[in-house]
Amino acid sequence: MEKRRIDDCEPGPVPSPRPVDRFGFVKQEHGSPYEGVIKSRSAIQFEREERRVRKWRKMIGVGGSDWKHYVRRKPHVVKRRIRKGIPDCLRGLVWQLISGSRDLLLMNPGVYEQRHGPGQRSLYNVLKAYSVYDRDVGYVQGMGFLAGLLLLYMSEEDAFWLMVALLKGAVHAPMEGLYQVGLPLVQQYLFQFDHLVKEHLPKLGEHFTKEMINPSMYASQWFITVFSYSFPFHLALRIWDVFLFEGVKIVFKVGLALLTYCHDDLIKLPFEKLIHALRNFPEDAMDPDKLLPVAYSIKVSKRLEELKSLYEKQNKKVVQSAETNGKVKQQDMQED
Amino acid sequence: MPSRRRTLLKVIILGDSGVGKTSLMNQYVNKKFSNQYKATIGADFLTKEVQFEDRLFTLQIWDTAGQERFQSLGVAFYRGADCCVLVYDVNSMKSFDNLNNWREEFLIQASPSDPDNFPFVVLGNKIDVDGGNSRVVSEKKARAWCASKGNIPYFETSAKEGINVEEAFQCIAKNALKSGEEEEIYLPDTIDVGNSSQPRSSGCEC
């Protein structure tokens, strides 16, 4: 796999037998709305992007040297700029800066090299390295989508440390619960999302209840792969920009935004069609410039905290009884 | 409500990661196969209309993630299933050995009213691989296991080549319908799947 160079701002035309989009993916035969965007890119838009990249470069400094300083001084500017999308040529570097993985790498020199063999494929290497680094979690399907996305923007070692930063919680709450036995964090997120749907979109929530639809049927992959499983690449990137800086709440916001955007269609559909629609959103709903402003306007932070406490309270009883059972089983085994 | 018509049949596909659950479903519903592997996260779902005698049914097929870690998500879909399809790869002994675990896990989680007679169908997939030379589970061995679990219908399939896929799902649908009938007494008694005019497929006891 060809690796992207972080400084490579203006990639020259790559000769290819099949037409590719700006990310190097082979274009589908049916035209996507994004294709139109590329074609209509005018000189003005190009200049605007150039200006944007210059602003970003200033904010980051050489190799990221000014980044922390800038974030401390002007956190709102940083947040605003990230929400507009990180310039693609700087994405790899910025992702490492905002996830805290850069610091992890610098603090742990040589750790990655010890854990991967030569001559193997990048994705395998990163996933294998992680499963060895964290034997309790090991390898879980879904991690591959994260690692794959990261490898398009950084080296194996950088991708490995970004995985560590996310799963162990360098900046935000640790994600490892998404992958641990029983998927405890997935269960919690689905519980929170279910409540949020009912609160933000009561009519749709009622319709879901009537049709016996719950978030485990459509949203678990949103959380497990942070929208990198089945969403258009350009949308996934924009979500990841914000996800790495602001944390998992953007997944809830985008999820709610998708339901909000398609609300009037979804509310008419019976179970069969509903479950299909919730896995195949229309292309205009997945346009980042339409979807993300809706997502940003939805406030969830406070409610997420409350719902987390509620979930923990409700689950405490279950956990306790399970623990008691576990102890009984152990005793049984000892007696045997 | 007089003789409510039963039109929905719910089928769930279980088996180890990479045995071809998603591919079998795609071959049956869309007549398509892709060599690219994409692990199923959570669960996926497709529907197909099937006809028995003169009646139309909607077969609702739930495809699940094969990695053990995901079982806690899958169990939510087990409830209300009318038939459970157990898939293994004839080139992988481990995937065959695990059929028992999948069957037991299903019976525990779905808790059907009559577990001894709940319909399962077993599919040994990937018979096309390497012209059958890399095969490690013999047909005899697979049939013996199926017989020991109450004569579970057995098919050898290739999702890639489309071999036996249609036949297998015909049997799955028939079994799902039968199990539904036994549960729901308000069904009209005009459907008699036992005397179906469909050609009998090998191994299907229905």
Side-chain angles (χ1 to χ4, degrees):
Chain A
M1 185 167 41
E2 265 186 45
K3 223 180 296 161
R4 265 163 187 276
R5 276 175 42 210
I6 283 165
D7 297 324
D8 193 3
C9 225
E10 290 158 285
V14 181
S16 167
R18 295 164 77 182
V20 293
D21 67 14
R22 69 184 294 203
F23 302 109
F25 285 102
V26 175
K27 279 184 187 170
Q28 298 297 310
E29 273 161 28
H30 56 272
S32 74
Y34 199 67
E35 202 176 344
V37 179
I38 299 162
K39 276 180 190 157
S40 67
R41 278 174 132 210
S42 63
I44 300 164
Q45 279 173 316
F46 184 76
E47 264 175 38
R48 197 164 62 196
E49 187 147 339
E50 282 287 278
R51 263 204 313 279
R52 213 161 63 89
V53 172
R54 277 198 297 276
K55 273 190 205 167
W56 268 91
R57 284 196 182 284
K58 210 178 140 199
M59 188 159 78
I60 296 164
V62 179
S65 55
D66 296 340
W67 174 257
K68 277 187 183 164
H69 186 60
Y70 202 101
V71 174
R72 254 198 307 275
R73 248 178 43 235
K74 295 180 178 174
H76 294 289
V77 176
V78 177
K79 184 173 171 178
R80 195 181 66 230
R81 286 187 182 163
I82 287 174
R83 283 183 166 203
K84 285 182 185 168
I86 299 168
D88 202 51
C89 56
L90 298 171
R91 199 164 246 142
L93 176 60
V94 174
W95 279 7
Q96 293 174 54
L97 293 170
I98 60 185
S99 69
S101 69
R102 260 293 160 104
D103 297 330
L104 289 176
L105 191 156
L106 294 174
M107 283 186 293
N108 298 277
V111 170
Y112 181 77
E113 279 115 289
Q114 294 160 15
R115 296 174 199 275
H116 76 108
Q120 289 160 308
R121 302 278 303 277
S122 300
L123 187 59
Y124 175 84
N125 284 343
V126 174
L127 294 171
K128 173 85 184 168
Y130 191 85
S131 72
V132 174
Y133 177 83
D134 185 350
R135 288 183 187 275
D136 287 338
V137 173
Y139 165 70
V140 182
Q141 288 175 347
M143 287 179 174
F145 297 93
L146 269 64
L149 189 69
L150 298 176
L151 281 169
L152 292 171
Y153 285 93
M154 59 196 76
S155 73
E156 286 177 23
E157 187 176 19
D158 291 335
F160 167 77
W161 283 110
L162 213 154
M163 296 272 292
V164 174
L166 289 175
L167 271 72
K168 294 295 173 190
V171 176
H172 299 288
M175 276 171 72
E176 58 188 349
L178 288 177
Y179 302 109
Q180 283 163 343
V181 177
L183 315 182
L185 198 53
V186 181
Q187 308 285 7
Q188 181 201 311
Y189 287 163
L190 293 174
F191 172 88
Q192 289 168 303
F193 192 74
D194 194 25
H195 279 262
L196 286 173
V197 172
K198 285 171 180 152
E199 290 164 14
H200 284 259
L201 305 160
K203 274 189 183 168
L204 189 62
E206 223 170 87
H207 182 60
F208 282 173
T209 309
K210 205 179 81 216
E211 295 295 324
M212 311 258 274
I213 294 272
N214 66 63
S216 72
M217 295 170 180
Y218 61 92
S220 51
Q221 43 177 261
W222 298 353
F223 292 108
I224 292 169
T225 69
V226 193
F227 287 107
S228 61
Y229 181 70
S230 58
F231 281 74
F233 186 64
H234 60 278
L235 174 61
L237 291 176
R238 291 286 301 277
I239 295 170
W240 270 73
D241 291 346
V242 183
F243 165 68
L244 292 173
F245 193 61
E246 299 184 28
V248 74
K249 66 180 186 221
I250 190 64
V251 181
F252 290 91
K253 289 180 179 201
V254 171
L256 288 170
L258 281 165
L259 298 184
T260 306
Y261 195 91
C262 303
H263 182 275
D264 296 350
D265 295 322
L266 294 174
I267 207 153
K268 292 181 216 144
L269 300 177
F271 179 87
E272 312 279 306
K273 291 190 172 139
L274 199 50
I275 200 96
H276 180 79
L278 289 166
R279 288 164 170 278
N280 302 276
F281 287 97
E283 285 192 352
D284 62 313
M286 295 192 293
D287 175 352
D289 295 321
K290 283 184 187 150
L291 182 68
L292 293 180
V294 180
Y296 300 151
S297 72
I298 301 169
K299 303 291 171 227
V300 294
S301 302
K302 188 163 162 262
R303 198 63 192 123
L304 277 179
E305 279 301 314
E306 292 165 358
L307 288 168
K308 185 178 175 226
S309 307
L310 181 65
Y311 179 78
E312 280 165 356
K313 212 186 281 171
Q314 286 187 6
N315 232 36
K316 216 172 177 183
K317 293 167 201 157
V318 183
V319 173
Q320 273 171 350
S321 68
E323 272 172 4
T324 325
N325 283 342
K327 273 173 199 156
V328 172
K329 266 186 199 161
Q330 269 183 345
Q331 279 168 357
D332 285 348
M333 279 166 70
Q334 278 162 0
E335 280 163 18
D336 285 344
Chain B
M1 200 193 294
S3 69
R4 199 181 99 190
R5 304 192 117 201
R6 182 191 170 81
T7 51
L8 190 69
L9 302 172
K10 182 174 171 181
V11 170
I12 185 141
I13 310 182
L14 302 178
D16 277 10
S17 181
V19 297
K21 300 180 291 297
T22 306
S23 293
L24 283 162
M25 182 173 83
N26 259 323
Q27 177 60 260
Y28 174 60
V29 177
N30 299 320
K31 301 271 175 283
K32 276 182 188 160
F33 177 82
S34 166
N35 261 319
Q36 286 171 342
Y37 173 69
K38 188 177 179 184
T40 305
I41 306 293
D44 209 342
F45 161 94
L46 285 176
T47 53
K48 181 158 170 148
E49 298 282 315
V50 287
Q51 195 174 350
F52 287 119
E53 313 280 90
D54 292 327
R55 288 197 53 198
L56 271 178
F57 297 89
T58 305
L59 201 59
Q60 187 186 92
I61 310 166
W62 287 91
D63 174 30
T64 59
Q67 198 179 14
E68 208 181 331
R69 200 69 61 92
F70 288 102
Q71 271 196 28
S72 57
L73 279 180
V75 295
F77 313 123
Y78 293 9
R79 300 247 161 80
D82 298 304
C83 179
C84 176
V85 184
L86 303 171
V87 185
Y88 78 97
D89 171 358
V90 298
N91 309 287
S92 156
M93 190 56 82
K94 191 164 166 280
S95 72
F96 176 74
D97 290 339
N98 274 335
L99 288 182
N100 213 32
N101 297 337
W102 284 110
R103 183 176 168 274
E104 278 173 12
E105 181 71 16
F106 176 82
L107 289 173
I108 291 166
Q109 298 293 347
S111 47
S113 52
D114 184 7
D116 292 334
N117 291 308
F118 186 86
F120 288 91
V121 173
V122 170
L123 309 184
N125 193 36
K126 302 199 191 183
I127 55 165
D128 60 278
V129 172
D130 197 16
N133 288 323
S134 56
R135 182 169 184 145
V136 293
V137 183
S138 71
E139 186 173 348
K140 198 176 151 198
K141 187 174 170 133
R143 286 197 185 277
W145 184 80
C146 290
S148 75
K149 298 292 170 190
N151 283 324
I152 301 177
Y154 175 69
F155 291 86
E156 305 227 310
T157 59
S158 161
K160 186 179 181 181
E161 310 289 347
I163 300 168
N164 254 346
V165 176
E166 187 68 36
E167 291 84 346
F169 275 92
Q170 283 280 341
C171 174
I172 291 161
K174 273 189 236 172
N175 277 288
L177 181 54
K178 224 162 45 174
S179 98
E181 270 188 321
E182 279 153 16
E183 276 168 39
E184 293 173 52
I185 47 164
Y186 47 75
L187 269 169
D189 53 7
T190 44
I191 343 155
D192 188 356
V193 283
N195 296 331
S196 165
S197 57
Q198 307 275 0
R200 274 182 74 136
S201 26
S202 67
C204 181
E205 305 297 326
C206 47

